[in-house]
């Protein structure tokens, strides 16, 4: 095993949403160190152009590689859709793991043949998403919602807030009226709202959070590339964010070992 095996995994998102993925990775791979970057100075990515998102992703990737990360997890559906292939072209020697809306498992799970997808506008409009729809959703009816304004509410920590709950109802009730029985969380921010989603949807409605599947993919890639950390390695976690340092309640709520949060990019 090379000394680089104990190097950290880099994880980034437009904001705090990717912590749902980092948390899943940490739970599955407790010996792996993580460096998490939240681009909170430029959140949300959803309304931005593909070039902006690709440029931001490359800038953050370089920062993580400067910190000796052995793998990069793009824990953002929007950044994956816009920039993952560009990142792989720019750093062909680095293993990347991205996100994608769980269209395939949703199409396999639905009983009614009707699936709801919650994702950003950029993700819904992406070619990556269109390809998923062509490959896996030909025989199901998909109801999409770009959830405009939901990410800023989550970033502000307004989870159990009247504005957030009202918006969730506006998103979900029309889908449920169409007999949707499977809902895809197509943005890493949305798992923070699971308790409130479950209050709105029926018990027999399946909600698919992609974070555990991404963690399993990270484990597979590390194993296949012989990059897994030593079983004796003590994991360390570092957190960075762009823009002004704001409320960290969502970080601490996830029971992470906190390190000083630093402004590394201009917001």
């Amino acid at each position: 095993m090379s000394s680089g095996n104990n190097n950290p995994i880099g994880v980034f998102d437009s904001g705090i949403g990717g912590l749902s993925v980092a948390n899943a990775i940490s739970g599955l791979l407790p010996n792996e160190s993580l460096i998490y970057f939240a681009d909170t100075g430029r959140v949300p990515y959803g309304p931005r152009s593909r070039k902006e998102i690709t440029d931001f992703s490359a800038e953050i990737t370089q920062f993580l590689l400067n910190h000796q990360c052995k793998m990069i997890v793009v824990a953002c559906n929007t950044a994956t859709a816009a920039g993952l292939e560009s990142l792989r072209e720019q750093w062909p020697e680095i293993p990347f793991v991205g996100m994608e809306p769980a269209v395939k498992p949703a199409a396999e799970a639905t009983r009614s043949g009707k699936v709801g997808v919650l994702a950003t506008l950029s993700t819904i409009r992406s070619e990556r998403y269109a390809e998923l729809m062509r490959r896996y959703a030909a025989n199901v009816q998909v109801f999409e919602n770009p959830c405009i304004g939901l990410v800023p509410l989550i970033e502000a920590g307004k989870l159990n807030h009247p504005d957030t709950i009202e918006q969730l109802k506006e998103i979900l009730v029309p889908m449920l009226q169409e007999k949707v029985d499977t809902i895809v969380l197509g943005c890493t921010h949305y798992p923070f709202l699971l308790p409130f989603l479950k209050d709105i949807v029926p018990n027999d409605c399946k909600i698919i959070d992609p974070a555990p599947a991404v963690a399993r993919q990270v484990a597979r890639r590390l194993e296949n590339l012989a990059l897994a950390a030593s079983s004796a390695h003590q994991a360390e976690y570092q957190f960075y964010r762009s823009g002004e340092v704001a409320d960290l309640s969502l970080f601490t709520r996830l029971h992470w070992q906190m390190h000083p949060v630093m402004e590394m990019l201009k917001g």
Side-chain angles (χ1 to χ4, degrees):
M1 179 178 293
S2 68
S3 59
N5 285 48
N6 291 334
N7 285 5
I9 298 169
V11 183
F12 77 86
D13 182 31
S14 60
I16 62 171
L19 282 171
S20 60
V21 176
N23 199 34
I25 295 171
S26 177
L28 183 64
L29 303 169
N31 297 113
E32 297 290 346
S33 294
L34 301 177
I35 297 181
Y36 184 85
F37 192 101
D39 196 8
T40 49
R42 301 183 290 208
V43 69
Y45 278 6
R48 293 185 179 274
S49 70
R50 178 171 182 169
K51 184 180 187 306
E52 280 184 300
I53 299 166
T54 299
D55 289 346
F56 296 165
S57 298
E59 186 178 357
I60 297 167
T61 295
Q62 185 62 67
F63 167 79
L64 293 171
L65 293 178
N66 289 345
H67 283 69
Q68 307 304 311
C69 288
K70 63 183 179 182
M71 172 184 282
I72 305 295
V73 179
V74 185
C76 174
N77 286 270
T78 302
T80 297
L84 181 60
E85 294 311 314
S86 175
L87 296 177
R88 285 174 170 159
E89 290 173 4
Q90 191 167 349
W91 288 282
E93 74 285 4
I94 300 296
F96 286 88
V97 174
M99 305 287 302
E100 61 184 24
V103 173
K104 180 181 179 181
E108 294 171 345
T110 181
R111 303 175 308 280
S112 67
K114 297 182 177 182
V115 171
V117 175
L118 279 57
T120 67
L121 190 60
S122 181
T123 296
I124 291 171
R125 290 177 173 174
S126 70
E127 177 56 34
R128 192 181 186 93
Y129 178 75
E131 177 60 22
L132 288 172
M133 295 293 290
R134 286 192 292 267
R135 292 177 63 185
Y136 304 117
N139 297 318
V140 300
Q141 191 173 2
V142 178
F143 298 85
E144 302 155 342
N145 193 296
C147 306
I148 295 170
L150 195 56
V151 167
L153 287 169
I154 297 169
E155 285 287 324
K158 296 180 178 179
L159 302 185
N160 191 18
H161 188 278
D163 291 346
T164 306
I165 303 304
E166 181 60 30
Q167 184 166 357
L168 285 177
K169 290 178 179 177
E170 291 176 359
I171 293 166
L172 293 168
V173 169
M175 292 183 178
L176 297 173
Q177 289 174 342
E178 295 288 348
K179 308 302 182 186
V180 161
D181 68 353
T182 307
I183 293 174
V184 174
L185 303 184
C187 172
T188 52
H189 283 77
Y190 302 161
F192 289 127
L193 298 173
L194 268 171
F196 315 108
L197 290 165
K198 290 178 178 178
D199 285 342
I200 298 171
V201 305
N203 291 333
D204 60 353
C205 183
K206 184 177 181 63
I207 302 174
I208 300 181
D209 173 8
V214 174
R216 292 191 294 270
Q217 175 66 1
V218 168
R220 285 191 292 267
R221 294 293 305 280
L222 290 174
E223 185 68 24
N224 292 340
L225 295 169
L227 284 175
S230 163
S231 59
H233 180 246
Q234 180 67 44
E236 297 181 355
Y237 308 115
Q238 299 178 55
F239 299 86
Y240 301 90
R241 68 193 292 167
S242 63
E244 295 181 4
V245 175
D247 177 30
L248 297 180
S249 62
L250 287 180
F251 283 79
T252 57
R253 215 173 292 169
L254 290 171
H255 307 293
W256 287 93
Q257 175 186 350
M258 293 302 300
H259 292 263
V261 178
M262 303 170 62
E263 181 177 349
M264 298 306 300
L265 298 176
K266 293 181 180 179

